Structure formats: structure tokens, C-alpha cells
Amino acid sequence: MTTNECDSILRLRDAGHTYAQISRETGISVNTLKSFFHRISRKDKSEDEQPRCRECGGIIEQKPKTKKQLCLTVPLKCY
């Protein structure tokens, strides 16, 4: 995808167009557009963001290779 295509895609999306509308206008497949916006959203997230509890919003102290989604700061509230 060229820089001009990326700019036009972003402009159309900011204007409220759907993936299907952007696809028809630019000739780029819907799946390519979805992948493009998914990659952009991952880049926008800060790498230093700390994981938060999905129940109370508390910071999770997570060890590598674990999938913990709840914190231990308020165990009765979250568990």
C-alpha cells in the first residue's frame, strides 16, 4: 500500500465510511482494510501500559507467560 493510499484510507475512515464503502472507492479488499486498521490500533497502544484488572481497573502485577486478568488488591471484589 502506498503512502497516498494510506492517507486516503485514513481520511475516509475519519469521515465515517465503512470498510465496504472504502473498499468500493479504493479497490482494496475489505480484509486488507481490516488488517490495516488492526495493525494501526496495535501501534497506537503504548507498550509501557500496565495491564489492568477487568473488574476493578486495578493494576495487575503479571509475571511473564501468565494470563492473569484479575488483580489481588481487592480479592473479595474481583474473585
Side-chain angles (χ1 to χ4, degrees):
M1 218 180 292
T2 66
T3 306
N4 290 338
E5 287 176 324
C6 293
D7 291 341
S8 65
I9 289 168
L10 292 171
R11 195 173 344 95
L12 290 169
R13 189 66 176 164
D14 287 340
H17 289 77
T18 64
Y19 293 138
Q21 291 169 333
I22 296 170
S23 176
R24 280 192 296 270
E25 193 164 321
T26 61
I28 299 171
S29 77
V30 172
N31 288 332
T32 301
L33 292 170
K34 288 179 182 179
S35 297
F36 173 75
F37 285 106
H38 183 71
R39 282 193 307 273
I40 287 176
S41 69
R42 286 193 315 214
K43 287 180 184 177
D44 289 344
K45 292 183 180 176
S46 174
E47 291 181 8
D48 60 351
E49 280 184 17
Q50 294 191 4
R52 300 223 173 237
C53 175
R54 60 185 156 99
E55 293 295 324
C56 73
I59 295 175
I60 299 174
E61 293 186 26
Q62 191 170 356
K63 295 179 182 177
K65 297 184 181 181
T66 61
K67 294 183 180 181
K68 188 176 183 183
Q69 295 180 355
L70 298 173
C71 69
L72 297 174
T73 58
V74 189
L76 297 176
K77 182 177 176 185
C78 295
Y79 288 105

